[in-house]
Amino acid sequence: MSPTPSPVQPHGDVPAASWRKVFTGRTAELRLLKELMLNGGRGCFVVWLHGMAGVGKSTLLRRFAEEAKAHGQVTHSVDLRHADATPEAFLAALKAQGPPEDAQVLLIDSAESLGPLEQWLRDVFLPAMPSRPLIVVGSRRPPSAEWRTDPQWWHALRSMELSGLDDAESALLLRHRGVDEAEVPDIVRAAHGLPLALVLFADAREHADRSVAQRRFWELRDCPDLVRELLQLMLRESPSLAQTDALHVLALARVTTEESVRHALEVPLAEAHALCTWLRGLSFVRSTAEGLVPHELMREALLTDLRWRGPEKYESLFARLHCQLTERLGRRLGDRWASGAGLAHLSRTNPVARESVDWRGADRIRLRAARPEDLGEAMAAIEKEHGVAAGALARRWWAYQPAAFTVAEDGRRLVGVLVAPCLEPGATGLPDDPVARAALEHTVGRSPLRRTERLLLARWSTGSAAAVCCALTTLWATTPGLAMTWTCTAEQQSGLASLLELYGQQRTAPAEGPDGERVLPFVRDWRGAPFDRWAAALRVRLLSDEPAGAPAPIAAAVEPTMPWPEFVDAVKHAYRSVRDPRQLAENALMGTRLVAPGADVTALREVLTETVTQLRAHPGQRQLGDVLEITYLGGPRSQQAAASRAALSFSTYRRRLSAALTQAAELLRERELYGAVPR
């Protein structure tokens, strides 16, 4: 339905027949209003149409006024944009159209401006009407509690919320406006169903400089004048500087709370409360269980406005929100799924994420652990997107580790599934999954998991890449002992692959699942850069605004110079020859990052000695360090002599020596990959 952005009545310039022709949608609403109008014994005679600014309330009222007049109904209307909110002005506006008592249909537009007049209307004017007219109210706000609870009115009131147009109705409106068919889909997508936006975009198209190649007049970030006009029409008032800042927080955050406003704007709690109360009263803001959420078009407009005001303000608000959510995840504060989703949602401002993934509706998605009753629907989603064999294997993973399943909901509808089992070293009874074997072999070849470390295998995902990203971010932050992640994508999941690259995940060789399933894995070793350091590096990249196809934001993980078994053998030989410079110079460790290029054997000997010291400094590994010290660093002696000095039986000594060498190899591998600072 085409709204009228300005208060000018359309009938003076456009013939009524032409205006009706371009009117689009609202079939159900018009049908209901007509039924009530023609029902002489109607019980409901107050219809309260409410919805955000620009959704088409005024146009619907005008269209219904024509319908009422066509049926011979005496119709009066008052628009509070052009009349003071006083009883005298209200009555004067009615009397100018004829005796108020003769009205059979009374239309009141812009009722959000009624103020104290609303009580007078409800308690004085309407009860005094000699007839029972059909009263249709258009307002940005729903009816107040007094309308819904007063015994005189609750049975006579019908509240109807107007939502945006669907895609078909939006496209029809644009065609009526003469928009080229090739341009319709992009404008429909950009307008998010808001009639006002459709009209503004169509108007911008008519006045666009057609000499500019591929002019994207529907992209708000390319049209600051359009953004300014849209904000003026939606807000009607000029917000204060503090309110403007709060609007920008609303645009950046997935959901806005008093805590996020206080943290981002660095204001006292009382001021944050007042700002959130003001935000809650805006017609384009809806309240949810998590917080406040703006209409998606207004989110884009406010983000564009924020960037226009200067990069410093944008970067400051972004960084504070990003740091706050990172800290909440790290400290396990509140709902971890909501915090992870909020952190991931901030990524949408980066061109790579914005152009690769559809973020529409991401603020409505709720993540949670799967429940037994989700099994059937989850498996159906996996089979649909990844094949029957994948669904059968996923059932075995459910039997092995049901906690590995996360679901995404939009309302009560399941819209996505993530299967991410957490694998421990030496785990037994795993499903026969070749991809899991490949992930474990890769981990062992790089640096084996310790007893407290975990490999997170994100095996399958369905639904939007945005929802998957939100779930993965949460798991990366909150999985205890996370050492490695192996995230699988399918060939059709190009958007998810782009996000993973943006997030510093490294592509590795494709793997093959059951029934020829082709898996494209992304790997990250978290032992060298834990979540908080990763988030800090990602924050810098997201703010860089680099175009799609740019390098990964986090430095590529350092790859080991040799497979793990060979590395362990080299460590054993190095300790055995630690006092023999000639043999030590020939050791393969001399070619690794454990020593600087061109260094001699003295540097390697120092590294080996420091590793023993590191073992001895750890309470749980002190005896292993003592065994290495006695055997290799304390002077030449036989193993029997070393066992005696360590006060161990020979068999126990041999076991401890083997464990000590393995532990030293793990520490040295960490040093090779992540540097000399122990984690």
Side-chain angles (χ1 to χ4, degrees), residues 31 79 151 167 288 385 495:
R31 182 171 57 248
D79 190 335
D167 287 354
T288 70
E385 196 157 330

Side-chain angles (χ1 to χ4, degrees), residues 20-325:
R20 284 195 299 271
K21 181 180 178 181
V22 300
F23 182 88
T24 305
R26 306 308 185 202
T27 304
E29 291 86 351
L30 281 171
R31 182 171 57 248
L32 174 63
L33 291 172
K34 182 178 178 181
E35 290 173 355
L36 291 172
M37 176 182 66
L38 299 178
N39 181 5
R42 59 178 174 262
C44 170
F45 66 97
V46 177
V47 179
W48 196 288
L49 301 172
H50 62 95
M52 66 178 287
V55 80
K57 301 179 295 296
S58 297
T59 309
L60 177 57
L61 289 178
R62 295 189 186 107
R63 179 67 185 87
F64 179 60
E66 283 196 347
E67 190 76 21
K69 292 173 183 176
H71 283 81
Q73 300 285 304
V74 179
T75 304
H76 291 178
S77 63
V78 178
D79 190 335
L80 271 298
R81 286 175 295 183
H82 315 308
D84 293 336
T86 64
E88 295 78 15
F90 188 88
L91 289 172
L94 283 180
K95 290 177 180 179
Q97 304 169 65
E101 59 271 15
D102 293 345
Q104 295 170 292
V105 174
L106 174 58
L107 308 176
I108 303 174
D109 199 4
S110 303
E112 66 274 1
S113 301
L114 280 169
L117 186 63
E118 183 176 345
Q119 182 179 357
W120 172 83
L121 186 72
R122 183 181 61 249
D123 298 339
V124 178
F125 175 76
L126 293 181
M129 291 285 284
S131 61
R132 290 171 59 86
L134 173 63
I135 301 160
V136 185
V137 179
S139 175
R140 294 186 178 188
R141 300 188 182 97
S144 63
E146 287 78 9
W147 287 99
R148 304 192 304 270
T149 58
D150 190 327
Q152 182 179 210
W153 291 109
W154 68 266
H155 66 284
L157 177 71
R158 176 73 66 89
S159 177
M160 297 173 56
E161 182 177 5
L162 290 188
S163 57
L165 302 179
D166 62 29
D167 287 354
E169 293 169 337
S170 298
L172 183 59
L173 185 153
L174 293 173
R175 294 186 186 105
H176 286 160
R177 299 276 304 199
V179 175
D180 293 340
E181 192 64 34
E183 298 169 341
V184 166
D186 286 326
I187 301 180
V188 168
R189 176 183 173 85
H192 297 283
L194 192 67
L196 173 63
L198 290 164
V199 171
L200 291 177
F201 285 139
D203 183 67
R205 167 194 169 276
E206 293 174 5
H207 296 90
D209 182 0
R210 312 307 290 183
S211 65
V212 179
Q214 298 181 340
R215 172 70 172 172
R216 299 192 299 180
F217 43 80
W218 53 83
E219 291 283 2
L220 290 178
R221 60 183 178 271
D222 296 335
C223 303
D225 292 339
L226 185 60
V227 169
R228 182 173 59 253
E229 184 178 9
L230 181 62
L231 292 178
Q232 288 174 346
L233 291 170
M234 298 293 281
L235 289 169
R236 280 195 186 171
E237 58 192 40
S238 297
S240 67
L241 290 177
Q243 289 171 339
T244 300
D245 288 342
L247 284 169
H248 292 152
V249 175
L250 180 78
L252 273 171
R254 175 177 169 268
V255 294
T256 298
T257 63
E258 290 184 12
E259 180 188 8
S260 60
V261 169
R262 181 177 64 85
H263 189 95
L265 301 184
E266 298 180 324
V267 296
L269 183 59
E271 185 174 350
H273 174 76
L275 289 171
C276 280
T277 300
W278 177 77
L279 289 174
R280 188 178 291 109
L282 297 175
S283 66
F284 55 85
V285 176
R286 59 187 173 88
S287 297
T288 70
E290 292 183 80
L292 304 178
V293 177
H295 186 273
E296 289 178 281
L297 179 69
M298 286 302 293
R299 187 192 290 278
E300 294 301 321
L302 289 167
L303 280 175
T304 301
D305 181 68
L306 173 59
R307 287 177 176 270
W308 172 80
R309 290 175 183 268
E312 296 82 4
K313 171 71 74 173
Y314 164 73
E315 291 175 4
S316 174
L317 291 179
F318 183 97
R320 289 176 195 160
L321 287 171
H322 202 276
C323 289
Q324 179 202 19
L325 291 167

Side-chain angles (χ1 to χ4, degrees), residues 364-413:
R364 296 194 306 268
I365 292 175
R366 302 293 178 266
L367 300 168
R368 62 170 175 82
R371 297 189 284 259
E373 58 267 28
D374 299 317
L375 175 60
E377 197 171 356
M379 296 306 154
I382 293 170
E383 288 183 5
K384 180 179 179 180
E385 196 157 330
H386 297 281
V388 175
L393 181 54
R395 285 183 178 274
R396 295 199 290 274
W397 277 111
W398 178 283
Y400 176 77
Q401 194 178 110
F405 286 69
T406 301
V407 297
E409 291 179 319
D410 186 349
R412 296 187 176 182
R413 184 170 60 99

